[in-house]
Amino acid sequence: MSLKVPKANNIQLFKEGYKHLSGIEDAVLRNIQAVAELSDLVRTSFGPNGRNKLVINHLGRLFVTSDAATIIREIEVVHPAAKLLVMASQAQEAEMGDATNMVLIFAGELLKKSEHLLIMGLHPSEIIKGYEMACAKALAELEQLSSSSISTPLTQASLATALSPAIASKQYGYENILSSLVAEAVLSIMPPNPKNFNVDNIRVVKIMGGSLNASRVVQGMVFGREPEGMVKKATKAKVAVFTSALDVAQTETKGTVLIKNAEEMLNFTRGEEKHLENIIKEIADSGVKVVIAGSAVGELALHYFDRFGLGVLKVLSKFDLRRACRVVNATPLARMGAPTPEEAGYVDLFETVEIGGDRCTVVRQLADGDEGFDPTTPAVERSRTATIVLRGATANHLDDLERAIDDGVNTIKGLFKDGRLVPGAGATELELARRVDTYGAGLKGLAQHAVKRYASALEVIPRTLADNALGGAEGNEIVSRLWAKHEQKGGEAWGVDIEAEEDHGTLDASAHNILDSLASKSWAIKLATEAAVSVLSVDSIIMSKPAGGPKIPQQSGNWDNDD
């Protein structure tokens, strides 16, 4: 008979204030509930009929959007497990610029499906193994579902068709206008090798007023302000870019000046003026016609710039200043003085135009075929830029339109890397669900349960599209009809008809040109599975005591009132 060893009580493993949760009940299921809550939050914003969320961030700024990337960035998720999903979604945003909501919804659904298996007694490692097998199978099958690819040579119509589904998911009803604007902007700055396309060369300027129909593409970089001085236009001009203030130098020390007569009074600032005049004359003599300033421009400096016929544009954003340097191929100078030939930039056209009652400045490089193009101009390396000028009634609406355009431009960038397209409207996900389910049925061992759950989780995409468009009961019927269509031969492209005008809420996505990027779907499935597996592999949560002292309670009333 073995002796009973007494247990030591109160072993202090952690510092006071630590929280330690472990086991299926306390750690895994709690994490799954937190992730499910985040997933449900953004689910209603998925697809063309997704609802907007009104988010007020910690700075009091208002956001009205259905863009999942913006929502999760502004709501500041603090739960550690939910943060893993947020990170996966941000990785999708960085990689493809779109399908962030799909990552959150799919990962959330995978974890919800795993909850039942955990309660039934399956070990998390078995579920993880099954999910990884199912993910590999889904990605392999996805490669075979490509129905078409982006056509070459690129035309505005073909680009607009490829863009339309991505933009419609954010701005349903405006997708035709926005996709044609983006396609026009992309084609106007297309490099000889499309793989070198830079998304930063397409800018958006938002001008309040008017309607979206008044939006247009302007070749060049548009700044929402007029030049500072009298010179409003220059052609074939040398450009100098300054990051320092263009003004009389200020000394750091203070002094007292004793003036005895009127002549001394008149001569007091003449030396400074003469010095500033000489500097600006040097700039003008070097051939510069346009000055771009990244800081303040003094009244006296402006007077001399006008006298020597130099155009002055103030660009206060350091990011826009960098882009302007890239467009004109100039080196930003931290000193005030004439630029060397290597430091000076060049611009074909610097002009002020009126857009919807607002005076804007356009910095533009002409291309071969543009009116006024001169082949004898200096052959400098130029970055051509296109700016989409957006019009709208409210600042929030303009911000949301900008996000839709950003998604569209990123979709184009992704398609230039991998031009394959798959049927949209939830058709691809349902077909993958069918094929993974068949694969799971042929497996042996406990992992097959997780594979089949993975297949049913893929259903969440068409189901959510149908729920958001037509309501819950109707959504279930549409998913059942889609399963019937996909079981038939050649039914791979059937998806959800959100307008429910044809065939009881289903349509052939390929025939209606509803096509999604294969690469975007592939990354979303991969990242969502990785996030779900990361959450499932956690068996303990250890939280240290937050740093800092006790929080001071908010006082009611005025702090100066007597108690």
Side-chain angles (χ1 to χ4, degrees):
M1 183 179 169
S2 60
L3 291 171
K4 186 180 178 185
V5 180
K7 285 186 181 178
N9 292 326
N10 301 324
I11 296 175
Q12 183 115 14
L13 184 61
F14 301 118
K15 277 173 75 175
E16 206 170 315
Y18 263 79
K19 280 186 187 173
H20 181 213
L21 306 166
S22 62
I24 297 289
E25 280 286 329
D26 280 346
V28 186
L29 294 182
R30 280 169 70 119
N31 284 347
I32 289 172
Q33 284 165 7
V35 169
E37 200 170 319
L38 177 66
S39 176
D40 290 343
L41 177 73
V42 293
R43 181 177 290 192
T44 52
S45 294
F46 185 67
N49 287 82
R51 300 290 175 263
N52 283 345
K53 299 282 183 282
L54 195 151
V55 181
I56 300 165
N57 70 1
H58 64 291
L59 298 172
R61 192 177 166 203
L62 183 74
F63 294 85
V64 182
T65 182
S66 63
D67 180 39
T70 306
I71 294 166
I72 61 169
R73 187 172 60 245
E74 299 303 332
I75 58 176
E76 293 185 39
V77 175
V78 294
H79 193 282
K83 264 190 178 174
L84 291 171
L85 250 72
V86 170
M87 287 176 197
S89 181
Q90 286 168 344
Q92 175 75 8
E93 174 78 3
E95 192 65 41
M96 296 304 298
D98 195 17
T100 50
N101 207 342
M102 181 182 168
V103 174
L104 291 167
I105 292 171
F106 183 44
E109 191 68 14
L110 283 173
L111 288 166
K112 281 184 194 172
K113 298 289 181 189
S114 68
E115 186 175 9
H116 180 67
L117 294 175
L118 288 167
I119 291 167
M120 294 286 284
L122 245 72
H123 194 271
S125 62
E126 293 288 348
I127 300 171
I128 289 167
K129 182 184 171 187
Y131 276 5
E132 285 172 347
M133 289 165 66
C135 179
K137 177 66 176 173
L139 292 174
E141 292 292 340
L142 184 64
E143 297 287 321
Q144 298 170 20
L145 284 176
S146 176
S147 56
S148 62
S149 62
I150 193 165
S151 60
T152 51
L154 296 168
T155 62
Q156 190 168 330
S158 68
L159 277 179
T161 303
L163 278 171
S164 202
I167 292 176
S169 68
K170 300 287 183 295
Q171 291 293 330
Y172 186 49
Y174 299 123
E175 67 270 17
N176 292 332
I177 301 170
L178 291 173
S179 55
S180 65
L181 281 171
V182 174
E184 185 186 340
V186 167
L187 283 175
S188 69
I189 60 146
M190 183 63 67
N193 181 2
K195 287 188 177 178
N196 295 333
F197 169 72
N198 184 1
V199 293
D200 209 36
N201 287 345
I202 293 180
R203 311 301 310 145
V204 175
V205 168
K206 298 167 284 189
I207 297 177
M208 292 268 283
S211 68
L212 184 60
N213 293 318
S215 302
R216 60 195 177 101
V217 176
V218 176
Q219 302 302 326
M221 202 163 173
V222 178
F223 299 95
R225 62 189 300 151
E226 276 190 277
E228 299 301 305
M230 303 293 288
V231 180
K232 306 290 183 189
K233 184 171 182 177
T235 54
K236 299 183 177 61
K238 259 191 174 185
V239 184
V241 181
F242 295 99
T243 57
S244 58
L246 302 177
D247 204 354
V248 177
Q250 298 287 328
T251 58
E252 291 184 9
T253 57
K254 290 182 180 180
T256 304
V257 178
L258 188 62
I259 294 171
K260 294 178 181 175
N261 53 42
E263 192 179 346
E264 287 181 4
M265 181 78 171
L266 289 169
N267 292 334
F268 174 56
T269 57
R270 191 160 293 166
E272 281 184 345
E273 289 174 17
K274 201 74 182 162
H275 178 64
L276 189 60
E277 183 182 3
N278 288 337
I279 290 173
I280 293 172
K281 188 174 186 303
E282 275 178 28
I283 294 171
D285 289 345
S286 68
V288 170
K289 288 187 191 175
V290 175
V291 170
I292 298 177
S295 189
V297 181
E299 293 286 331
L300 188 61
L302 200 55
H303 162 71
Y304 287 121
F305 280 129
D306 285 343
R307 181 191 285 185
F308 291 110
L310 272 65
V312 182
L313 177 66
K314 199 151 67 170
V315 179
L316 296 178
S317 163
K318 67 177 180 182
F319 302 107
D320 279 346
L321 196 68
R322 285 176 196 160
R323 292 183 190 108
C325 287
R326 202 167 63 233
V327 170
V328 301
N329 195 35
T331 304
L333 303 173
R335 55 169 175 81
M336 194 172 166
T340 62
E342 294 79 23
E343 290 170 337
Y346 177 86
V347 67
D348 281 322
L349 188 60
F350 169 86
E351 63 176 344
T352 305
V353 296
E354 190 166 324
I355 302 172
D358 285 18
R359 305 276 287 172
C360 302
T361 305
V362 179
V363 176
R364 183 180 176 193
Q365 302 288 22
L366 300 178
D368 194 357
D370 287 348
E371 187 182 342
F373 177 75
D374 182 2
T376 62
T377 52
V380 292
E381 282 273 333
R382 299 179 202 162
S383 168
R384 296 181 64 220
T385 302
T387 301
I388 298 171
V389 180
L390 282 178
R391 309 300 311 283
T394 66
N396 284 313
H397 183 51
L398 284 172
D399 287 345
D400 219 25
L401 289 172
E402 185 183 11
R403 289 182 201 111
I405 284 174
D406 186 52
D407 277 7
V409 173
N410 280 303
T411 300
I412 289 282
K413 174 75 173 171
L415 288 172
F416 287 157
K417 289 180 183 173
D418 184 348
R420 291 174 296 170
L421 297 164
V422 291
T428 298
E429 287 82 359
L430 202 77
E431 182 61 22
L432 288 177
R434 188 182 72 79
R435 295 186 183 189
V436 172
D437 192 62
T438 307
Y439 165 69
L443 290 174
K444 293 179 180 176
L446 292 173
Q448 67 172 307
H449 298 293
V451 173
K452 291 177 82 69
R453 292 281 170 177
Y454 190 98
S456 63
L458 278 162
E459 261 187 57
V460 75
I461 303 299
R463 187 183 301 280
T464 304
L465 283 171
D467 285 350
N468 287 348
L470 307 162
E474 188 78 14
N476 285 333
E477 285 182 32
I478 287 171
V479 172
S480 301
R481 289 190 201 112
L482 283 176
W483 269 105
K485 296 273 187 189
H486 280 256
E487 291 292 343
Q488 297 168 9
K489 192 175 180 183
E492 294 94 345
W494 282 86
V496 179
D497 177 11
I498 55 170
E499 292 171 355
E501 289 178 356
E502 296 179 26
D503 214 343
H504 305 293
T506 62
L507 53 72
D508 188 329
S510 294
H512 285 75
N513 278 329
I514 302 171
L515 302 167
D516 293 339
S517 163
L518 184 144
S520 185
K521 286 244 188 287
S522 173
W523 274 102
I525 289 170
K526 206 181 299 177
L527 290 167
T529 308
E530 282 180 17
V533 163
S534 297
V535 173
L536 282 172
S537 60
V538 170
D539 75 333
S540 287
I541 305 170
I542 305 161
M543 287 182 282
S544 63
K545 184 180 179 182
K551 290 182 180 174
I552 300 167
Q554 289 285 325
Q555 291 179 330
S556 58
N558 191 349
W559 62 272
D560 202 27
N561 287 346
D562 293 328
D563 291 335

